[in-house]
Amino acid sequence: MCASHFILPNMTFETFCTSITSAALRAVAEHWDAARGDRMMPSWQQLKPSRIAAQLPIVWVYKYNRETQEFTGRLAGDRITRHYGKSFRGIKLEDIHLPDALADVYGVMNRIVEQPALFSSRGTLFRQRDRTGTGERIILPLAGDTVHCDGLIGASDYQYALANPDYGPVELLAEDERWFALGPEQVAA
């Protein structure tokens, strides 16, 4: 999944948000920002699905257990579920993604929860045998106490001719990665 890391110096949330080309992903990021208010990040409970109803088909959410360092699916929108051929609810990350890609997927997700950081990528987002899907993806941290990350909300807006889970497993990819570390005057390195 890891491709080139594009670090934007002195990036503000507004810069992060305006760098998102997908209107659907920008709406998710803006809702995340509104839900957090003056806190570092919002909790899962502070998000209002009705405010991003049009984007829910491309949204996915994981819970993060700090003690075990495991990610467990909380939900996946209809389009994501159709593409993978299964719901993410209650399923561990390693049961969703290919073993070969798992280290990279964990690397990105762990960096987001540990820093915490905001992530976006665009270009080729996944491969399914000889087919690829292109678009844009964002991943944003969540925290029940608004300080210590205990989950992620992501969204993937992509173009793909035929979402068919029977065609083969989905390999997650990332190009043109952009990172923004949350906190006073921090930039991800």
Side-chain angles (χ1 to χ4, degrees):
M1 183 170 165
C2 290
S4 62
H5 295 294
F6 197 129
I7 311 304
L8 298 179
N10 302 319
M11 183 192 263
T12 64
F13 178 80
E14 290 75 23
T15 305
F16 172 81
C17 200
T18 57
S19 75
I20 299 169
T21 58
S22 162
L25 298 185
R26 198 171 318 108
V28 172
E30 288 170 350
H31 175 61
W32 178 91
D33 186 48
R36 78 179 175 140
D38 61 357
R39 297 170 299 273
M40 188 181 314
M41 58 194 121
S43 68
W44 166 249
Q45 292 77 14
Q46 290 168 320
L47 297 175
K48 304 291 181 228
S50 62
R51 302 247 171 98
I52 54 171
Q55 294 78 33
L56 285 178
I58 62 170
V59 168
W60 41 272
V61 180
Y62 283 96
K63 293 185 272 187
Y64 176 68
N65 182 320
R66 284 194 161 290
E67 290 179 23
T68 63
Q69 297 185 332
E70 291 180 324
F71 293 94
T72 304
R74 179 166 261 178
L75 73 83
D78 293 344
R79 188 163 186 217
I80 304 296
T81 299
R82 247 190 337 269
H83 193 82
Y84 278 87
K86 58 181 144 188
S87 168
F88 286 17
R89 188 169 183 82
I91 297 178
K92 292 186 179 186
L93 188 65
E94 56 268 19
D95 295 330
I96 296 171
H97 297 288
L98 292 171
D100 292 348
L102 206 51
D104 288 337
V105 174
Y106 267 113
V108 167
M109 292 172 74
N110 279 325
R111 183 174 176 182
I112 293 166
V113 299
E114 292 302 322
Q115 278 191 328
L118 307 177
F119 171 86
S120 73
S121 69
R122 68 185 106 172
T124 304
L125 298 184
F126 59 86
R127 179 180 13 253
Q128 201 174 15
R129 289 189 359 206
D130 60 336
R131 298 178 185 168
T132 59
T134 59
E136 192 170 11
R137 174 186 301 121
I138 61 170
I139 310 174
L140 311 165
L142 300 172
D145 65 3
T146 71
V147 176
H148 302 96
C149 190
D150 62 5
L152 301 170
I153 180 169
S156 303
D157 190 7
Y158 57 90
Q159 296 76 44
Y160 187 63
L162 179 64
N164 181 353
D166 296 329
Y167 189 68
V170 176
E171 177 187 359
L172 216 53
L173 305 170
E175 295 178 336
D176 190 20
E177 293 182 11
R178 295 169 186 254
W179 292 89
F180 169 65
L182 290 174
E185 304 291 317
Q186 294 179 327
V187 177

